[in-house]
Amino acid sequence: MKNKLILLLTVFCLTSIFSNAQEKPLKLKGVIMENDYHEKITWIKSKPIPLDEKDFTVSTYDVSYIQLYFGLYMKDGKQQITPIHIVNSYNQTKWIFFDEISYLLGSRKEVRAGKGISFKLYDKDTNTNVDGRVTEKSDVLINDEIKKFIKYIIEKPVTRMEIRYKNNRESKVFDLKVNKGTKLLKKHFTTFINAYNQVVDKLKVGYKF
C-alpha cells in the first residue's frame, strides 16, 4: 500500500533521464512514474481510470479500468522512447475471454438514432486471472484507430460512453456503461498526452501525439 501511495504522487521530477546534471529537471504533473532498475527503463503512466462506480475505499485496480503508458530508456548513449500502450482491464464476476473491445460514444438519443461514434480494439492475447473476481487484461500498442479514440475523448465535449467486451469465438458479450461517461477519461487522457508531448519536446525523441 505504501508503494502505491508513492506511485500516485502527482508530480515527478525525471532527473534520471538527463545526462547533464545542470539540465533543469522535467516535471510531469498528474501521471505515475515507475523505474524498472533491472531493465533500465522508466515507465510513465496515466492514472488508471475507473470505468465502474466505486468509492474511495476501493482501489481502481480492483475494478474495470483503462490506462495509457510509455517508456523511456537509453540505447547506445541516446535517449529512446517507446510507443504508447493502452491497457484495458475487465474486472467482473463472469469470464468473457474477450478478443475485441468496442467503445461507443454519444448520448442515448444519438446512439438510438444510429449516430453514436464507435472505435474498436482487437487483442487475441489477453491475460487472465482470478483473485476473488475475474480479471482479463489487454495491453497493446495504440494503432490509428485507438489514436483517433484518444483524440476524440480529449477534443470533444464530455458524453455518455459504453464499452462492449466481446468474445468473437463464442459470440459472448459484456456491456459496461462507463460511470460519469467520458469525464474522467478526458481528464486523464489530456494530462497524459500533455506529459508525453512535454517529454518529446524536452528530450527531442519520437513525435508529438
Side-chain angles (χ1 to χ4, degrees), residues 102-106 110-111 114-119 152 160 162:
S102 177
Y103 310 102
L104 178 61
L105 301 103
E110 289 171 332
V111 170
K115 296 180 180 179
I117 303 296
S118 65
F119 302 90
Y152 189 94
R160 187 173 179 271
E162 289 184 4

Side-chain angles (χ1 to χ4, degrees), residues 48-72:
I49 306 155
L51 306 175
D52 297 300
E53 185 174 2
K54 74 177 194 68
D55 61 36
F56 70 93
T57 64
V58 178
S59 169
T60 301
Y61 294 103
D62 292 330
V63 299
S64 297
Y65 68 86
I66 291 177
Q67 187 173 36
L68 303 175
Y69 74 90
F70 68 94
L72 292 169

Side-chain angles (χ1 to χ4, degrees), residues 8-20:
L8 290 175
L9 290 173
T10 59
V11 180
F12 295 95
C13 298
L14 302 184
T15 55
S16 62
I17 62 177
F18 296 104
S19 58
N20 185 348

Side-chain angles (χ1 to χ4, degrees), residues 158-181:
V158 171
T159 188
R160 187 173 179 271
M161 177 172 167
E162 289 184 4
I163 298 180
R164 168 167 288 181
Y165 303 89
K166 185 176 182 179
N167 178 336
N168 286 295
R169 300 176 298 275
E170 301 177 19
S171 299
K172 294 165 59 176
V173 301
F174 179 85
D175 291 335
L176 173 64
K177 180 183 176 182
V178 176
N179 182 46
K180 299 183 180 179

Side-chain angles (χ1 to χ4, degrees), residues 175-193:
D175 291 335
L176 173 64
K177 180 183 176 182
V178 176
N179 182 46
K180 299 183 180 179
T182 60
K183 182 178 180 179
L184 294 179
L185 289 164
K186 185 180 183 71
K187 174 184 176 182
H188 292 295
F189 280 9
T190 300
T191 299
F192 174 83
I193 295 302

